[in-house]
Amino acid sequence: MNYLAHSFLTFTDGQIVGQFLEDFIRNKDRYSFPKDIQDGITLHRAIDTFTDSHPAIHEAKKVFAPLVRLYAGAFVDVAMDYFVANDLQLKTLKGWKDHSRKVYRVLNEHYEFLPENFRRMLEKMEQDDWLYHYRQDQNIKFSMRNVLNKAKYLDKDIPVFEAFLDHKDVLQKCYDDFFPDLLEHAKGINALLQLEN
């Protein structure tokens, strides 16, 4: 899952921060944060583990695997954010806009906990409203290009975005088969975390 899905699958403000921090910190540093943020880090990891093992995600990876092989999962993560952003059963358009604003507000309120590289990204994320605009094809193209640019062993001209467009119906079905299961799993993990508090 990518940024929007992780931010949606949270239950407290601290968990929002932890969900974003997970990809930017070393494992040994996780215990230096308040418990609520640690819970977000734990939740992020549980979401990733569940996602990687789900049959629908295995199917979705087949769209990108012929082009990018082991990097297929990263492109599926981006693609899933498109379907989350367009899932009006989860939130209305106004609801998604409000969600995006809340996430930026919460992250800025916890600025002291954010590493410098994340602070730089947050500025761009908020300025261009990445979370809300994942619903648009052009922003998925931008995100997929970013993944290509960061990948050391991938040619920068691989047509992953074209694969996304060509197989959008397949990916939509994978999302439909997968996301309700993920949502229930996240709720279960959160319930366990709350028992620990």
Side-chain angles (χ1 to χ4, degrees):
M1 291 288 92
N2 205 36
Y3 297 125
L4 179 62
H6 275 293
S7 70
F8 174 74
L9 296 167
T10 54
F11 305 90
T12 67
D13 287 359
Q15 286 183 10
I16 290 173
V17 180
Q19 285 265 32
F20 279 91
L21 282 181
E22 160 59 18
D23 289 331
F24 290 85
I25 61 169
R26 296 172 299 181
N27 185 51
K28 67 178 184 178
D29 294 334
R30 64 183 292 194
Y31 300 106
S32 65
F33 297 103
K35 178 66 167 60
D36 208 19
I37 294 178
Q38 290 182 42
D39 287 349
I41 294 169
T42 299
L43 189 55
H44 181 121
R45 293 177 178 182
I47 287 167
D48 284 354
T49 299
F50 183 85
T51 299
D52 289 343
S53 65
H54 198 283
I57 295 301
H58 289 198
E59 284 301 307
K61 286 180 181 178
K62 293 177 182 178
V63 169
F64 300 105
L67 297 170
V68 295
R69 301 170 62 147
L70 294 177
Y71 286 91
F75 292 98
V76 169
D77 285 349
V78 173
M80 289 298 113
D81 261 10
Y82 170 86
F83 297 108
V84 171
N86 283 285
D87 192 336
L88 300 183
Q89 292 184 352
L90 297 176
K91 288 185 182 291
T92 63
L93 285 180
K94 182 182 182 301
W96 283 119
K97 190 68 173 178
D98 291 344
H99 172 80
S100 299
R101 288 176 177 153
K102 176 185 177 181
V103 170
Y104 306 138
R105 174 182 58 75
V106 168
L107 291 172
N108 280 297
E109 286 173 352
H110 293 80
Y111 200 75
E112 64 188 287
F113 298 111
L114 308 180
E116 187 57 38
N117 56 346
F118 181 74
R119 290 177 179 181
R120 289 193 298 271
M121 190 192 80
L122 175 59
E123 184 177 343
K124 296 175 185 174
M125 178 184 286
E126 185 173 8
Q127 181 179 342
D128 296 331
D129 199 357
W130 292 4
L131 297 179
Y132 182 72
H133 289 120
Y134 278 128
R135 60 189 318 276
Q136 299 171 341
D137 286 352
Q138 65 192 36
N139 290 292
I140 294 302
K141 181 178 183 179
F142 174 81
S143 295
M144 288 185 171
R145 186 179 299 129
N146 275 346
V147 175
L148 281 175
N149 288 338
K150 289 176 183 176
K152 290 182 180 179
Y153 304 108
L154 292 180
D155 185 87
K156 307 313 175 195
D157 296 321
I158 296 173
V160 286
F161 177 65
E162 289 76 9
F164 166 76
L165 293 178
D166 290 344
H167 297 88
K168 197 182 277 190
D169 55 340
V170 173
L171 293 167
Q172 176 74 64
K173 184 178 186 311
C174 292
Y175 169 80
D176 293 340
D177 291 343
F178 160 68
F179 202 77
D181 294 346
L182 177 61
L183 183 55
E184 288 306 307
H185 181 70
K187 288 177 180 176
I189 296 297
N190 180 61
L192 292 174
L193 291 171
Q194 297 314 305
L195 288 175
E196 297 173 3
N197 292 335

